[in-house]
C-alpha cells in the first residue's frame, strides 16, 4: 500500500501466506476446427467493345468480363479480381476496375435463327448453357426489359429477354426476345451454336479515351491473392465501337421526271435516343455527314456525300456509271463520326422494275 503524506511517500507492506495466492483449476479441452488455406483461383476473362449501353456514355469504353477459370478446383477459391492496364509497353500497370463477383458467362446451346428487330420476337426460343456456376437467370416484365433489364451480348448481337425457363442446372430457354438492340441488327443472322453469351452489367465498363483508339495496350486480370508480376499481359486494341454511328433506317429511292434518283433515309442516335414528344433525337456527333456508295457486283462504282438525310444520284451520273439509266444496284448509306469514321451501313437494293 502506498500513501502520500505531508510531502512524503509511505509504503506499508503486509505479510501473506503464499497458499492464499495459489489457484487450481482444470483446463477444458477446446475443439479447434480444422482450417484450410485456399490458393487464389486463376481468372478467365474477356475484354471487348460494345455500343454504348448507358444513355450518358459519350466516351468510348471496353467491357470486362472476368470469373474463375474452368474447371473448378477444390484447393482454390476465386474472391474477385482487378483489371490493370499499361499504356507504355508493360513498364507500368495501373488498376482500372475491381470486381468481387464473377461475370455471368454462357454459350449458345443451339443455333439461333434470325428474327424481327422492329418488334418483340415471340416465336424464337434461345437455348443457352451457363458457364458461370451458381447463377440463376430471372424473368422480368416487358416494361422492365424495355427499361434495360436482361440484356445479353450474344456473339455480336445484343438481345434482351423477358422469360427465362430453367431446363436443368446449367441450361436455360430464353423467350420473348428483343433482337438487334443498340444498333446490332446487322448481327441478327450470324449466330452458331457455341457463340459467346454475356449477361451485361453496367458496373463492368472500363472507360477509354480517344487516344486509345487504334492503339494496342496491354491488360492483366489479377485474381485477388495473386501477384501482378505472376500474371501474363494480353494485348487489346480499341476500335471505338461505342462511338460508331448506328445504321440509318427507312431508306427510300424515288425517280423524278428528269430521271434523277433521290435517296432519303432517317438517322438514329447512339445516345439519349429515348422517345420525346415534339423533339428529335440528338445528333450524337459534332456534325451531320453521310457517305453513300453505289455498288455493282460487290464493287463500289460511285461515292456520294451528303450533309442531310437525302442525296441525288443524277441522270448524268447514272449514264456515266451504267451507260444508261440505272436499273439494279446495291446502295450503302453510312453516317460519319468525326472520331471513328463510318458507322454501320444501311444496305438497300434498288430495282427499277419493282
Amino acid at each position: 500500500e502506498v500513501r502520500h503524506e505531508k510531502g512524503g511517500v509511505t509504503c506499508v507492506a503486509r505479510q501473506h501466506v503464499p497458499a492464499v495466492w495459489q489457484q487450481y483449476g482444470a483446463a477444458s479441452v477446446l475443439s479447434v476446427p480444422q482450417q484450410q488455406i485456399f490458393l487464389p483461383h486463376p481468372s478467365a476473362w474477356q475484354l471487348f467493345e460494345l455500343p454504348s449501353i448507358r444513355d450518358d456514355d459519350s466516351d468510348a469504353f471496353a467491357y470486362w468480363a472476368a470469373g474463375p477459370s474452368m474447371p473448378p478446383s477444390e484447393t482454390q477459391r476465386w474472391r474477385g479480381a482487378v483489371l490493370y492496364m499499361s499504356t507504355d509497353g508493360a513498364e507500368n500497370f495501373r488498376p482500372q476496375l475491381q470486381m468481387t463477383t464473377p461475370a455471368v458467362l454462357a454459350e449458345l446451346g443451339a443455333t439461333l435463327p434470325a428474327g424481327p428487330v422492329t418488334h418483340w420476337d415471340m416465336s424464337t426460343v434461345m437455348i443457352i448453357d451457363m458457364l458461370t456456376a451458381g447463377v440463376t437467370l430471372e424473368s422480368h416484365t416487358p416494361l422492365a426489359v424495355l427499361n434495360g433489364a436482361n440484356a445479353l451480348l450474344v456473339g455480336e448481337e445484343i438481345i434482351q429477354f423477358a422469360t427465362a425457363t430453367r431446363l436443368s442446372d446449367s441450361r436455360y430457354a430464353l423467350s420473348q426476345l428483343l433482337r438487334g438492340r443498340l444498333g446490332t441488327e446487322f448481327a441478327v443472322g450470324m449466330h452458331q451454336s457455341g457463340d459467346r453469351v454475356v449477361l451485361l452489367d453496367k458496373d463492368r465498363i472500363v472507360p477509354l479515351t480517344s487516344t486509345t483508339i487504334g492503339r494496342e495496350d496491354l491488360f492483366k486480370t489479377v485474381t485477388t491473392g495473386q501477384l501482378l508480376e505472376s500474371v501474363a499481359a494480353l494485348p487489346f486494341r480499341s476500335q471505338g465501337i461505342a462511338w460508331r454511328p448506328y445504321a440509318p433506317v427507312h431508306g427510300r429511292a424515288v425517280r423524278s421526271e428528269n430521271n434523277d434518283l433521290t435517296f432519303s433515309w432517317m438517322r438514329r442516335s447512339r445516345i439519349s435516343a429515348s422517345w420525346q414528344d415534339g423533339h428529335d433525337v440528338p445528333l450524337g456527333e459534332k456534325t451531320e455527314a453521310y457517305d453513300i456508295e453505289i455498288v455493282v457486283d460487290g464493287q463500289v462504282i460511285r461515292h456520294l456525300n451528303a450533309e442531310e438525310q437525302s442525296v441525288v444520284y443524277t441522270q448524268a451520273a447514272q449514264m456515266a456509271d451504267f451507260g444508261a439509266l440505272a436499273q439494279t444496284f446495291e446502295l450503302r448509306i453510312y453516317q460519319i463520326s468525326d472520331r471513328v469514321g463510318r458507322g454501320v451501313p444501311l444496305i438497300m437494293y434498288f430495282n427499277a422494275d419493282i
Side-chain angles (χ1 to χ4, degrees), residues 92-247:
N92 298 281
F93 280 90
R94 295 179 175 83
Q96 303 296 308
L97 193 63
Q98 180 176 9
M99 297 301 298
T100 57
T101 57
V104 179
L105 305 176
E107 63 182 19
L108 273 182
T111 300
L112 180 66
V117 298
T118 57
H119 56 271
W120 288 91
D121 184 348
M122 304 299 292
S123 60
T124 301
V125 176
M126 180 168 60
I127 304 298
I128 67 170
D129 293 316
M130 304 300 296
L131 299 177
T132 305
V135 174
T136 301
L137 299 182
E138 298 180 352
S139 299
H140 282 282
T141 65
L143 180 58
V145 173
L146 290 171
N147 285 324
N150 282 352
L152 300 170
L153 177 68
V154 183
E156 299 299 323
E157 180 188 359
I158 294 178
I159 301 176
Q160 291 177 267
F161 65 93
T163 303
T165 303
R166 192 167 190 170
L167 304 179
S168 68
D169 288 344
S170 61
R171 172 164 281 205
Y172 279 85
L174 307 179
S175 57
Q176 200 172 353
L177 308 176
L178 288 176
R179 304 289 302 272
R181 307 295 280 167
L182 302 179
T184 62
E185 63 278 350
F186 65 90
V188 165
M190 298 168 54
H191 297 294
Q192 296 180 349
S193 179
D195 276 358
R196 168 187 63 190
V197 178
V198 181
L199 182 66
L200 298 180
D201 177 353
K202 295 178 181 180
D203 292 332
R204 299 180 188 275
I205 287 175
V206 183
L208 300 174
T209 64
S210 59
T211 59
T212 65
I213 305 303
R215 187 184 72 198
E216 186 175 88
D217 294 313
L218 296 175
F219 288 83
K220 291 185 177 186
T221 291
V222 181
T223 301
T224 300
Q226 282 185 316
L227 295 176
L228 176 65
E229 296 77 12
S230 68
V231 178
L234 295 179
F236 177 79
R237 188 186 303 273
S238 171
Q239 301 177 44
I241 288 178
W243 284 336
R244 186 175 64 185
Y246 295 172

Side-chain angles (χ1 to χ4, degrees), residues 326-343:
Q327 299 297 308
T328 60
F329 57 87
E330 178 184 326
L331 180 70
R332 301 173 187 168
I333 303 172
Y334 304 82
Q335 187 174 359
I336 305 300
S337 163
D338 59 286
R339 288 177 285 195
V340 296
R342 289 176 168 183

Side-chain angles (χ1 to χ4, degrees), residues 255 261 263 293-296 301 313 318 322 326-331 348-351:
R255 192 183 292 278
L261 284 171
F263 307 126
E293 294 179 337
I294 309 296
V295 182
V296 177
I301 64 171
Y313 187 23
Q318 296 173 55
F322 293 93
Q327 299 297 308
T328 60
F329 57 87
E330 178 184 326
L331 180 70
M348 302 167 53
Y349 296 94
F350 177 81
N351 189 330

Side-chain angles (χ1 to χ4, degrees), residues 308-322:
E308 57 185 10
Q309 297 168 68
S310 66
V311 72
V312 176
Y313 187 23
T314 65
Q315 177 187 9
Q318 296 173 55
M319 297 297 291
D321 294 338
F322 293 93

Side-chain angles (χ1 to χ4, degrees), residues 10-11 20 22 53 83 86 119 140 202 227 230 243 274 282 325:
T10 302
C11 296
V20 174
Q22 294 178 359
I53 61 175
L83 179 69
S86 173
H119 56 271
H140 282 282
K202 295 178 181 180
L227 295 176
S230 68
W243 284 336
S274 57
L325 294 179

